[in-house]
């Protein structure tokens, strides 16, 4: 599988998932690691993650937090795309443990 095919497959999976149910950050990070390739440093993975998120937003996927109320789903941040990406980038840089990435945001269609 070529790099482009891998990127397309990962992106398609994430968008389809987020359209069906809220998607937490961990599968996105996993996809970004695959896209960045073997031996990529964390900065490369962050860049891949931000590209994925940018493309997802361009394809109608919203970014936000999950509601604590039963029956409510994603609560979009209602920020311009650039601000969403800056917020996520800042949060990724402050996170030492990849397991804590799940707390950054969720993706979906409200």
């Amino acid at each position: 599988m070529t790099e482009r095919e891998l990127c397309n497959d990962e992106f398609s999976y994430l968008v389809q998932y987020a359209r069906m149910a809220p998607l937490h950050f961990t599968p996105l990070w996993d996809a970004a690691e695959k896209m960045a390739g073997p031996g990529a440093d964390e900065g490369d993975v962050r860049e891949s993650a931000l590209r994925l998120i940018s493309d997802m937003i361009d394809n109608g996927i919203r970014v936000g937090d999950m509601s604590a109320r039963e029956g409510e789903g994603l609560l979009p941040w209602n920020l311009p795309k650039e601000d969403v990406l800056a917020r996520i980038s800042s949060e990724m840089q402050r996170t030492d443990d990849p397991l804590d990435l799940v707390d950054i945001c969720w993706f979906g269609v409200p």
Side-chain angles (χ1 to χ4, degrees), residues 52-69:
L52 275 171
I53 295 166
S54 177
D55 290 346
M56 289 172 64
I57 292 170
D58 290 344
N59 280 270
I61 303 301
R62 302 288 303 271
V63 179
D65 298 306
M66 288 302 293
S67 174
R69 291 180 163 170

